[in-house]
Each structure stands twice: as structure tokens, then as C-alpha cells.
């Protein structure tokens, strides 16, 4: 699980803002030169392992707190952030006048002609009904909408709008039987609004209420079943489209469809302002919005009816569903198809349970399922099937013949390079099968990507070739692991982290691959006998093969804000190295140390207390980067603002000490000069003249601007550390592996005591 999506921003703050940071430093009366050994600072904070917090524990009250990076915020904080995010995305991520109707247009020419007849007949009936002097009591409400003379209160519009959708659905059903070709074409579904409006649906992670929900029910359902579903309370597991009076609210509610519908590729929605309707399709990076359809005008009604008719007859993938993921009647996943691009064969897996769900409107929509191959009768060979829309390279773009961001290609290289290494076995995701999802569309089979799914939506003024491109990939991998937060205590966390960074280092050195997305979601564990665990590194869809790509010339932002490195957040021109992932590990451990390494410890986290670490979860990446720079600027700041806020529970003092040692190895490594220290570029007047004379200086033969750039490079600690990244990473790994051995010893002692204890 991950936090709600953060809006893309065109604003860029300068990479270095020493003035604000120096001000913070002066306010706290600390400077980089005053750094002392953080180990001493940590020791002064160490508490009795048996000491527990005196504050009353505050338990998680609702499901939105289950996302690890959301636990530091209250329900109000989350609600406010979602509102701001929605307002931003509605301003910046809309594609207006999109050809939304093209998505639902039947692919078969004969069916397209048939639906045109249906739409024409339904419109004739609708017009006759609207202009009749007497109306059926059942549908008379719709005339209040199509003939509204003045703006009505929002709540007063729910019933008329629902009546319109219900009338059209019933008319389609009636007309279908009247047309002689009706027997040749089957109707996919019935479009029905839930009778209950303005309600908080089942499955919501907050208390928000949606205006109207549309349910597309299979046409073969019995009348009794249709009536029951029509009258039941809306359930995000079943909703096909949400109808909202305000566009921002539609954005806020829509993410629940991705979270609760595991086979949803994209979603539909409708926004209504007075009598004006817009149909919306939510893509991975944009919201495609149709032209206005005014139901007070005959042409507007005609366009809306035509769209609803096409949606009733189109194939399920056109409604955003994934036909390669099949469900049980209750909505749980039954089977998943995985196409293997190496063997060019499709393998079917039976789903045991989902282990990760999509929670965002935009992004990769990553989902993971614990599965077993349908051919395995024993059911013992379990795999994890990952489904995600990752950024990719279009075929034929420039001179690219191979997608260097293809997770399947990267995982295949890792598998082949590390084959036979027993020490690392089971500690990284190993490819079994994988490739781009293939969907049957009429008589053809297409790879599923943002061009094939949304290319027809773009108005003539926009070109799909200039937009972000994502490929829908699905991968079956081993081992079958569980989330990191299933550790029993801090020592297991330390062992898991060491295993993960050990294999991370091996992959970087042996395979020339940088992972670039260390987070609680990419770090998993396997429980072993005698209370031991084994860490496993997964999620390589942000990874890059640095033997093929220059990580300096292609700055980009990847990952989840609370765990991203400062350079990553700023999209700086400092080349990405192993140190970015090690920095992310520090943030992961800080987050777990503050909020709890497992659900039991999370209950001791006091949400009411405001902490500095909360700033790592802002909506603007530049703001998050500046907060982290402030917190990591000096040892004093890091100890007092972050480490001192770790939970006062058994074992957390050891985690605090470990994080402190890792911090010092990166940001204040004694093996390197002060030019390597800290988080800001040193200002010239503050440089030590004697020290400066021993360092490289700008060449007098260079032009002034180049000399200034070289001089800044010398004073930028991130650039200096990047040049020695491999050596510093080796130092970090030594520290972590040493602590791993200590943790294993404590785990062994604890297990032996448990075995000796009487029953």
C-alpha cells in the first residue's frame, strides 16, 4: 500500500537553498562543524529496553491508517491532502474535449450499426416522453432534470438524474427486443443506478458520501437479482462508474474503485453541473473529459444516450475491466493469466489471496497476488504475481530497440547473473514468467499499454507520441513472501534489512543494476524456523541497467516521497548511485522506528502528537526534500528531530543506534573531508581556507561559468559522495551485516529460552 498520489508540479525550486537551511541551523545554534559522534548522542537517548511509553496508546480507528506512510496523519490531515490533490489534478491533469465515446464504441461494424439503431429508437422514446403532457409516475422525475428552469440544490438533483439513467436502461432493454436483429447481438450488461444516493459506500476508507453510483449488471441476471442489487447499499467492489456533481469529489472517490476492484485497468465517471454532463475516463496519468452534453438540449441527450447504449453493448475491457483476471461471483480473484514474452506462452495461475492493492488514481496501480500454477496439482509451488503499469519505451522511439526499463528484462538478467549464488537464494525476486499483458480485442490480440488503451481518446490537437507511455506488465516470481511489517520485533527487521541491502549491493556490482525504489513495499520477508526471517528485495520496475543508461543525464523522480532520497526528490543533476537507495533505507527505518515495526507496535503510536517526520509526507516533492535536508543537516538536528521520536519499546534503542551509524557513514563519514559532509552546498565565505587549499580547485584555463560550475561541484557534498559511492556503500554494508549477526544472536537466545520454558 502506498500513500495517495502526489500531483505533478511544474514548479521547480532551486536545487540548493542554503539560506533557509543556514537559518534553521542558526536557530538551533548548531553548525556542521559542531558535529560530534552520533553514537554518543544515540546512547544518551537509549532507554531501558523494558521501558514503555507513558502516553496512552491510540489505536488505528479506520482503514486509511493501514497504509504505513499514512499512519502519522489524522483522518482530517488525509482528507485535507486529498482535497488539495484533487483540486490540483483537476486543474493540471485534465485532457479536455477528449473523444471519450470512442472508448466504448463497439469494435464490430455490425454491432456498431445495431447500437446506432438502438440509440436512435431510445432517443425517440425519450423525446416523446419528455414532451408528453402526462408522465409515468415512475420516471417523471427525469423531466425535472431535462427541463430544469433554474439551478436546484445538489441533493434535489439525485432523484431526477437517477431516473434518467434508469429510464434509458429500461428503454434499451425494450428496444432490443423490438428490433429484428436483436437475437444476433447479446447485450453485455444493464446500467442501473443504486436506489440509495448520497451514501458512504461499503469498502470506503473514509466517511465520504458519493452522490450516485452506477452498477453495470450482467444481462443474464434474474429480475429478482437486479431488483436486489438496485436497492442495495453501494459497494465499491461493484460500482462501475460514479456520478458526481463536483469534479474534485469524483477524483477523491474514484481511487476506491482501484483499491477494491482488483481487475480494474481504468475507470469511468460522470460529472454533472446543472444540466451539463461530462463523461470521464481515468487513465494512469490523466483524466480524459468529454465535450459537454447538455440534457436540456436534444443533441446533448442524443450524445449521452448513444454513449450509454455503447457502454451496454461493448466488451468488458472497454469498460476498464481486465479479461485476463477472472473473478468469483463475490468479486474475489479466481484466476490470473501471465503471458511469458520469452516462451510466448500464456500461463494461468489460481489466486490464493491478494497481498497488495492499488490505492491511487494515477501511477503504476501495482497489485500483487499470492498464487499457485493451475498445472501444479499439489498446490505447494507458490508464486507472487505482480501486475503494474510501469513507464516504458515505445517500440521504434529513436534508436531504442530494447526497453531499458523493462522489469522482465532486468529480472531475467538478475536471475541469470546470480544463478548458483546460494548465499543470496530466496533474497530477491526471481523471474518465473513475465511479459506485457495481451488482450483479445475482436479478431486481434493487442499488448495492453497506454497507447492501445487511451490513444483513441486524444483530441486531434494532441499526439500520443508526446505523452508518457506505460506498459501493462504482469510477472510471476518467487519466493512467496509477506510484507515487511509482519516482523515480530526489531531484531527481525534488522536481519531482513541486512539481507535486502546485501543482495542490493550484489545486484549493483554483479549486474550493474540500480534498484532506485527502496521502500516498505519493496522490502518483504519470509518467516523461517526458530523465529528467524529472511529479507527479500522485490519491485524492479523503477530499476535501471546503468551499463546501458547514464543515470546522470536522465534525472527523474522515482519512488514514494517519504522514502525518496533528497536528490531524487529534487530531480537534481547529481548522478544516481547506490547511496540514494541507502539513504532511502534510513528513511524506511526512521518511519518504522517512529510508527512501529508491526501492527502491534503501531498501536502504541500516538497520532495526536505532531512530529517533524510528518513533513516527509508533503504533497510537493521540493518541500519534502527541504524538510529532509533540514533534519539531516547536523547530528544534533537528526537526533532531536527524528531519532528521539522513536517508540519507547523494547529493541527500538538498538534500531535507533543502527540508524545513527548508517547516517554517519553517509553524511559525516570520517574517512572523507568536510566537503563530503552534510546536506547543503557550502557557501564560499564559510569554507576553511586551509582545507580548501588541499582540495581540488577550479581550473584557471576554464571559462568563468565552467569554473564556477566546477567549484560548486567541489562544494556540493552529494556530488562528492557520488564519486565514491561504491566505497561508502561497502562501509554501510559492513555496519549492517555486523548488526545482523548481533540480531541473529539475540533471536537465537530468545528462541532457546522459549524452548526451555515450561509449558
Amino acid at each position: 500500500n502506498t500513500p495517495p498520489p502526489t500531483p505533478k508540479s511544474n514548479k521547480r525550486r532551486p536545487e540548493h537553498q542554503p539560506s533557509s537551511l543556514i537559518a534553521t541551523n542558526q536557530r538551533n545554534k548548531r553548525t556542521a562543524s559542531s558535529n560530534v559522534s552520533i553514537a554518543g548522542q544515540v546512547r544518551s537517548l537509549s532507554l531501558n529496553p523494558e521501558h514503555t511509553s507513558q502516553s496512552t496508546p491510540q489505536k488505528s480507528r479506520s482503514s486509511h491508517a493501514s497504509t504505513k506512510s499514512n499512519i502519522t496523519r489524522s483522518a482530517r490531515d488525509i482528507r485535507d491532502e486529498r482535497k488539495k490533490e484533487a483540486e490540483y489534478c483537476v486543474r493540471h491533469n485534465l485532457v479536455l474535449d477528449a473523444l471519450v465515446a470512442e472508448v466504448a464504441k463497439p469494435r464490430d461494424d455490425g454491432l456498431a450499426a445495431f447500437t446506432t439503431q438502438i440509440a436512435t429508437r431510445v432517443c425517440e422514446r425519450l423525446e416523446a416522453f419528455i414532451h408528453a403532457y402526462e408522465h409515468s409516475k415512475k420516471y417523471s422525475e427525469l423531466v425535472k432534470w431535462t427541463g430544469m428552469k433554474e439551478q436546484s440544490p445538489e441533493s434535489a438533483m439525485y432523484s431526477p438524474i437517477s431516473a434518467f439513467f434508469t429510464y434509458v436502461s429500461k428503454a434499451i432493454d425494450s428496444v432490443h427486443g423490438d428490433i429484428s436483429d436483436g437475437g444476433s447481438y447479446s447485450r453485455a450488461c444493464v446500467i442501473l443506478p443504486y436506489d440509495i444516493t448520497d451514501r458512504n459506500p461499503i469498502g470506503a476508507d473514509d466517511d465520504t458520501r458519493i452522490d450516485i453510483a452506477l452498477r453495470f449488471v450482467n444481462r443474464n441476471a434474474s429480475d429478482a437479482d437486479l431488483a436486489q442489487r438496485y436497492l442495495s447499499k453501494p459497494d465499491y467492489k461493484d460500482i462501475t462508474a460514479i456520478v458526481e456533481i463536483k469534479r474534485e469529489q469524483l477524483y477523491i472517490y474514484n481511487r476506491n474503485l482501484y483499491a477494491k476492484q482488483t481487475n480494474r485497468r481504468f475507470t469511468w465517471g460522470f460529472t454533472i453541473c446543472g444540466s451539463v454532463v461530462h463523461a470521464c475516463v481515468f487513465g494512469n496519468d490523466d483524466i480524459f473529459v468529454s465535450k459537454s452534453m447538455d440534457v436540456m438540449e436534444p443533441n446533448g441527450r442524443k450524445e449521452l444516450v448513444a454513449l450509454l447504449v455503447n457502454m451496454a453493448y461493448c466488451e468488458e475491457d472497454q469498460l476498464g475491466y481486465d479479461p485476463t483476471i477472472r473473478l468469483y461471483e463475490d468479486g474475489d480473484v479466481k484466476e490470473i493469466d501471465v503471458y511469458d514474452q520469452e516462451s510466448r506462452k500464456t500461463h494461468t495461475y489460481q489466486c490464493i489471496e491478494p497481498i497488495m492493492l492499488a490505492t491511487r488514481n494515477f501511477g503504476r496501480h501495482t497489485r500483487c497476488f499470492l498464487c499457485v500454477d493451475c498445472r501444479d496439482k499439489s498446490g505447494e509451488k507458490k508464486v507472487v504475481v505482480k501486475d503494474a503499469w510501469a513507464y516504458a519505451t515505445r517500440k521504434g522511439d529513436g534508436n531504442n530497440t530494447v526497453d531499458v526499463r523493462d522489469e522482465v528484462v532486468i529480472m531475467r538478467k538478475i536471475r541469470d547473473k546470480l544463478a548458483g549464488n546460494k548465499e543470496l537464494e530466496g533474497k530477491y525476486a526471481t523471474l518465473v514468467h513475465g511479459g506485457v499483458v495481451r488482450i483479445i480485442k475482436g479478431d486481434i490480440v493487442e499488448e495492453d499499454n497506454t497507447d492501445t488503451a487511451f490513444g483513441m481518446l486524444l483530441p486531434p490537437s494532441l499526439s500520443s507520441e508526446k505523452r508518457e507511455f506505460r506498459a501493462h506488465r504482469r510477472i510471476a516470481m518467487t519466493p512467496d513472501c509477506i510484507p515487511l511489517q509482519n516482523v515480530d520485533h526489531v531484531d527481525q527487521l534488522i536481519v531482513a534489512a541486512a539481507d535486502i541491502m546485501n543482495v542490493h549491493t550484489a545486484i549493483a556490482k554483479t549486474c550493474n543494476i540500480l534498484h532506485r525504489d527502496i521502500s516498505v513495499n519493496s522490502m518483504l520477508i519470509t518467516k523461517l524456523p526458530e523465529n528467524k526471517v529472511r529479507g527479500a528485495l522485490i519491485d524492479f520496475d523503477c530499476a535501471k541497467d546503468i551499463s546501458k543508461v547514464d543515470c546522470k543525464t536522465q534525472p527523474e523522480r522515482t519512488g514514494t516521497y517519504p522514502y525518496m532520497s533528497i536528490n531524487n526528490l529534487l530531480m537534481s543533476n547529481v548522478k544516481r548511485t547506490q547511496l540514494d537507495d541507502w539513504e532511502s533505507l534510513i528513511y524506511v527505518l526512521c518511519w518504522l522506528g517512529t510508527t512501529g515495526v508491526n501492527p502491534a507496535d503501531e498501536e502504541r503510536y500516538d497520532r495526536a502528537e505532531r512530529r517533524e517526520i510528518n513533513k516527509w509526507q508533503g504533497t510537493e516533492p521540493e518541500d519534502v526534500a527541504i524538510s529532509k535536508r533540514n533534519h539531516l543537516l547536523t547530528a544534533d538536528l537528526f537526533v532531536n528531530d527524528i531519532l528521539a521520536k522513536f517508540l519507547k519499546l523494547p529493541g527500538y534503542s538498538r534500531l535507533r543506534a543502527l540508524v545513527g551509524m548508517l547516517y554517519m557513514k553517509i553524511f559525516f563519514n570520517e574517512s572523507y573531508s568536510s566537503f563530503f559532509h552534510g546536506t547543503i552546498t557550502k557557501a564560499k565565505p564559510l569554507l576553511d581556507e586551509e582545507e580548501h587549499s588541499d582540495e581540488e580547485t577550479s581550473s584557471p584555463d576554464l571559462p568563468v561559468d565552467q569554473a564556477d560550475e566546477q567549484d560548486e561541484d567541489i562544494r556540493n557534498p552529494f556530488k562528492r559522495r557520488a564519486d565514491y559511492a561504491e566505497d561508502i556503500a561497502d562501509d554501510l554494508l559492513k555496519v549492517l551485516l555486523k548488526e545482523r549477526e548481533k540480531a541473529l544472536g539475540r533471536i537465537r537466545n530468545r528462541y532457546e529460552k522459549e524452548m526451555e520454558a515450561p509449558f
Side-chain angles (χ1 to χ4, degrees), residues 611-628:
R611 296 169 174 82
E612 285 294 311
I613 200 172
N614 294 14
K615 297 177 181 178
W616 296 3
Q617 209 172 14
T619 56
E620 291 289 347
E622 294 88 350
D623 292 339
V624 177
I626 290 174
S627 294
K628 289 182 176 180

Side-chain angles (χ1 to χ4, degrees), residues 664-690:
M664 288 299 291
K665 285 295 182 184
I666 295 180
F667 296 99
F668 293 96
N669 196 313
E670 294 179 354
S671 299
Y672 302 92
S673 74
S674 63
F675 284 93
F676 290 73
H677 296 174
T679 58
I680 62 171
T681 299
K682 293 175 174 58
K684 288 183 179 180
L686 300 180
L687 291 177
D688 185 290
E689 294 181 2
E690 182 178 348

Side-chain angles (χ1 to χ4, degrees), residues 28 48 56 74 156 180 182 223 243 296 340 418 458 492 507 568 625:
N28 289 278
N48 186 326
T56 303
S74 65
S180 58
D223 291 340
V243 182
M296 289 184 64
D340 184 59
L418 299 184
L458 296 176
Q492 287 187 349
I507 290 172
N568 196 355

Side-chain angles (χ1 to χ4, degrees), residues 355-411:
I355 55 179
M356 179 178 178
L357 300 176
T359 56
R360 299 181 178 186
N361 277 319
F362 294 153
R364 292 176 282 174
H365 294 159
T366 302
R367 300 179 176 98
C368 292
F369 308 88
L370 181 63
C371 299
V372 62
D373 195 319
C374 288
R375 297 171 300 178
D376 177 21
K377 301 302 181 182
S378 68
E380 296 178 355
K381 298 179 180 179
K382 296 182 178 65
V383 300
V384 173
V385 173
K386 175 185 174 182
D387 183 272
W389 292 73
Y391 284 124
T393 304
R394 287 185 179 87
K395 293 180 179 178
D397 275 5
N399 298 320
N400 293 314
T401 56
V402 178
D403 186 355
V404 296
R405 294 187 285 190
D406 188 337
E407 186 176 11
V408 176
V409 173
I410 287 174
M411 290 183 67

Side-chain angles (χ1 to χ4, degrees), residues 304-330:
L304 180 55
V305 167
L307 174 59
L308 295 175
V309 169
N310 285 341
M311 293 177 76
Y313 285 90
C314 69
E315 298 174 40
E316 61 179 332
D317 67 278
Q318 293 174 276
L319 295 177
Y321 296 104
D322 190 335
T324 64
I325 298 180
R326 293 171 289 282
L327 309 179
Y328 291 105
E329 288 187 4
D330 63 1

